[in-house]
Amino acid sequence: MKLYNTLSRSLEEFHPVVEGEVRMYNCGPTVYNYIHVGNARPLCVFDTLRRYFIYKGNDVKFVVNFTDIDDKLINKANQEDTTVKEVAERFIKEFKTDANGLHLYDYNTMNPRATEHIQEIIDFIAGLVEKGAAYESDGDVYFKVESFTEYGKLSHKKLEDLISGARVDISSLKENPADFALWKKKKEGEPYWESPWSEGRPGWHIECSVMAKSLLGDTIDIHSGGEDLQFPHHENEIAQSETLNEKPFANYWLHNGMITVDNEKMSKSKGNFFTVREVAEEFDLEVLRFFLLSSHYRSPINFSRDVMVQTKNSLERIYNGRDKLVDLLEVTKEVELSDKDREFLNSIEEEVKFFETSMENDINTADAITAVFNIVKKINTGLNENSNKKIVSSTFDTLLKLTKVLGILEMSQETDIEVERLIEERVQARKNKDFNRADEIRQELLDMGVVIEDTRAGTKWKRA
């Protein structure tokens, strides 16, 4: 597998620290609000990478953290006259609702909270102070960026430019304007913890370094997130982690491109800011996941309602292919494989190879999806009631295996259960000659995007 490493600005062959084991850390949400579609992209992309590693037989340890103490949470709590903990609990719960809709929880993902690691954070900071790489100033503790000679190696920014350009906070408490906070002394009314320097709380950057070290070790395989996190967040993580541990923090840094909305940068001021929850009001979130995987992860991607409608229609083609296989499994017979059967299986296997080659070429999910569509096309043109059940079954298993990597074909079974319930009600209505109700149910199903067909074998249904 080759991955584009932001650190080297090049495609590199992936070699994990431990063969057969992959340790990944993806920066998760600051839980003061609902996540937006931009937040969802790295979550879906790097979850797909995780799924592929598992598909290839690796043991994957994957961390997506919750930042549950931060200025944004404090401000939100003050606005709502509540506590930071209550804000965090509420939006962690809301995040999990969205995450389930995006199919981010089919394998065990670790979701540590910063507040669960306060003592480890204090110990980490104390280690940096002892090394002379951090200093206390009026209860705050700052990392001394000049102590890390490679500062800027990820973002390719020069320290002198950062200082002269005043792109960082200027504070009389700092020795250098580029120094960043590891520990912040409490202000009136803020939550705090006891530390050797003051009653206070951790800075943002230190939280991820500590959680990664605690759960994955000193050197991890992959650290990922949106490209907007390269600087200062990831740059600062590298500086403090590699200073304390005296070894590489992450061997591969992966960053996804940004999302525009109707070809404009997404922002609240422009009124084109969409939360995942708002998208869910009109579309199943699997459609959003499929959309986010439809372009290469490092490319910018444009979000719009029209594109989402197109994506929904495309996804339904895959569902219809799956549903056809389900129907054929009921009517086909198992016989010896013919030369034609073997030829069909070989053509499916070629698509599997294309899928794997695409995924191993820097997570090219767009091409991987093409392989899935090619299989669906072969299902529609090459299989029917007279096909060999062995071929139908093998193709079905292959389709599910590949779509499992992408995290699709997993829409809530509750929808299918409701469809079956309505169909059964319609059958009974027809038996009772209540044709008005039968017509109403047909329309209800159409409104749900379901088309029904009355056959001798019973009522069949498929997504429109």
Side-chain angles (χ1 to χ4, degrees):
M1 170 176 276
K2 289 188 176 180
L3 298 171
Y4 185 86
N5 191 347
T6 307
L7 194 62
S8 65
R9 297 291 199 271
S10 65
L11 277 175
E12 296 182 12
E13 195 75 33
F14 176 71
H15 297 288
V17 174
V18 179
E19 193 64 36
E21 178 181 299
V22 182
R23 289 175 285 178
M24 302 172 62
Y25 187 97
N26 186 80
C27 286
T30 300
V31 285
Y32 73 104
N33 210 332
Y34 297 99
I35 60 170
H36 55 72
V37 293
N39 302 137
R41 191 178 193 187
L43 293 169
C44 292
V45 166
F46 300 118
D47 173 73
T48 301
L49 176 60
R50 176 195 59 158
R51 287 167 176 256
Y52 186 75
F53 281 131
I54 292 172
Y55 164 85
K56 296 295 285 186
N58 295 279
D59 176 25
V60 180
K61 292 181 173 62
F62 188 60
V63 176
V64 178
N65 71 291
F66 292 134
T67 296
D68 62 341
I69 179 66
D70 181 84
D71 290 342
K72 293 175 181 178
L73 281 108
I74 292 170
N75 293 338
K76 184 81 167 184
N78 290 338
Q79 289 169 11
E80 298 184 349
D81 193 24
T82 186
T83 66
V84 168
K85 185 175 182 180
E86 287 172 343
V87 171
E89 290 293 342
R90 172 156 48 103
F91 285 108
I92 285 173
K93 183 179 179 181
E94 299 295 354
F95 171 83
K96 288 182 177 179
T97 297
D98 291 338
N100 283 327
L102 292 166
H103 307 323
L104 299 174
Y105 281 127
D106 68 327
Y107 298 109
N108 291 327
T109 297
M110 290 179 275
N111 293 127
R113 305 182 187 197
T115 56
E116 297 170 340
H117 295 267
I118 296 297
Q119 188 55 53
E120 292 159 281
I121 289 171
I122 290 171
D123 293 342
F124 195 114
I125 296 171
L128 291 172
V129 171
E130 187 177 339
K131 281 176 173 281
Y135 58 91
E136 185 268 339
S137 179
D138 192 28
D140 291 347
V141 182
Y142 295 95
F143 183 84
K144 192 182 298 185
V145 294
E146 288 182 308
S147 69
F148 187 65
T149 57
E150 295 183 282
Y151 192 80
K153 67 178 179 178
L154 178 71
S155 59
H156 290 208
K157 296 179 184 294
K158 294 181 180 179
L159 184 57
E160 54 268 28
D161 292 341
L162 294 174
I163 296 169
S164 62
R167 298 173 189 166
V168 290
D169 293 334
I170 303 297
S171 170
S172 59
L173 298 176
K174 298 180 181 181
E175 294 178 1
N176 183 315
D179 294 347
F180 58 89
L182 301 171
W183 188 261
K184 298 180 178 182
K185 185 171 71 172
K186 72 167 184 177
K187 296 175 183 175
E188 188 64 34
E190 290 186 350
Y192 66 88
W193 290 264
E194 299 285 346
S195 82
W197 314 286
S198 65
E199 294 177 337
R201 58 188 174 87
W204 175 36
H205 313 301
I206 195 71
E207 295 174 353
C208 285
S209 281
V210 170
M211 285 184 276
K213 176 181 172 70
S214 174
L215 296 170
L216 301 175
D218 291 351
T219 300
I220 65 178
D221 294 303
I222 295 171
H223 197 312
S224 55
E227 66 181 18
D228 57 320
L229 295 181
Q230 285 183 43
F231 185 87
H233 186 49
H234 290 165
E235 195 71 70
N236 291 349
E237 281 188 70
I238 290 173
Q240 62 204 8
S241 294
E242 297 191 359
T243 296
L244 183 73
N245 300 325
E246 298 183 1
K247 57 184 71 171
F249 175 39
N251 288 332
Y252 302 85
W253 287 86
L254 309 184
H255 293 95
N256 62 275
M258 294 295 97
I259 292 181
T260 57
V261 177
D262 294 321
N263 296 308
E264 289 190 350
K265 184 178 179 180
M266 185 172 66
S267 70
K268 290 181 179 178
S269 62
K270 291 183 178 179
N272 65 353
F273 181 90
F274 292 96
T275 65
V276 169
R277 190 62 55 86
E278 288 169 332
V279 174
E281 292 174 4
E282 184 172 0
F283 300 95
D284 190 288
L285 289 183
E286 185 176 293
V287 179
L288 178 59
R289 181 182 179 113
F290 194 53
F291 160 72
L292 294 171
L293 299 179
S294 63
S295 298
H296 190 274
Y297 78 98
R298 287 193 288 113
S299 301
I301 188 170
N302 186 54
F303 175 87
S304 70
R305 187 185 179 282
D306 287 346
V307 170
M308 285 292 288
V309 170
Q310 293 167 17
T311 303
K312 178 176 180 287
N313 293 337
S314 296
L315 185 57
E316 284 170 353
R317 284 168 50 201
I318 301 175
Y319 269 94
N320 289 337
R322 183 205 64 178
D323 293 345
K324 179 177 179 179
L325 291 175
V326 171
D327 289 342
L328 290 179
L329 283 171
E330 294 182 3
V331 298
T332 52
K333 296 180 180 179
E334 193 169 302
V335 295
E336 287 299 313
L337 293 176
S338 66
D339 289 343
K340 185 179 179 181
D341 290 336
R342 292 188 182 90
E343 185 179 330
F344 186 88
L345 282 180
N346 287 338
S347 73
I348 296 295
E349 189 56 38
E350 286 300 312
E351 298 303 337
V352 173
K353 290 177 182 176
F354 180 53
F355 179 94
E356 293 181 355
T357 299
S358 300
M359 287 298 298
E360 292 174 15
N361 180 24
D362 194 31
I363 331 173
N364 192 336
T365 52
D367 282 355
I369 287 170
T370 297
V372 172
F373 276 124
N374 289 343
I375 290 174
V376 170
K377 184 176 180 181
K378 293 177 191 297
I379 291 167
N380 291 332
T381 59
L383 298 177
N384 55 45
E385 293 83 353
N386 299 316
S387 297
N388 190 335
K389 190 170 188 174
K390 290 180 180 178
I391 301 300
V392 175
S393 179
S394 175
T395 305
F396 182 68
D397 290 344
T398 298
L399 181 65
L400 292 189
K401 186 168 63 172
L402 300 189
T403 54
K404 180 75 170 177
V405 173
L406 297 171
I408 60 172
L409 291 195
E410 298 180 21
M411 280 190 194
S412 173
Q413 292 184 347
E414 293 175 7
T415 302
D416 291 359
I417 292 170
E418 177 64 9
V419 169
E420 296 290 352
R421 186 193 68 76
L422 286 170
I423 287 175
E424 180 59 30
E425 184 183 342
R426 181 174 174 273
V427 168
Q428 290 302 318
R430 283 161 61 88
K431 284 182 179 178
N432 297 333
K433 298 187 178 181
D434 185 354
F435 299 114
N436 286 336
R437 178 56 185 152
D439 289 342
E440 287 175 1
I441 293 171
R442 179 186 286 274
Q443 187 57 51
E444 284 181 48
L445 290 166
L446 274 174
D447 292 342
M448 293 169 63
V450 172
V451 175
I452 58 174
E453 179 185 1
D454 295 314
T455 71
R456 291 182 179 178
T459 301
K460 301 291 185 181
W461 67 274
K462 64 179 181 178
R463 289 172 178 82

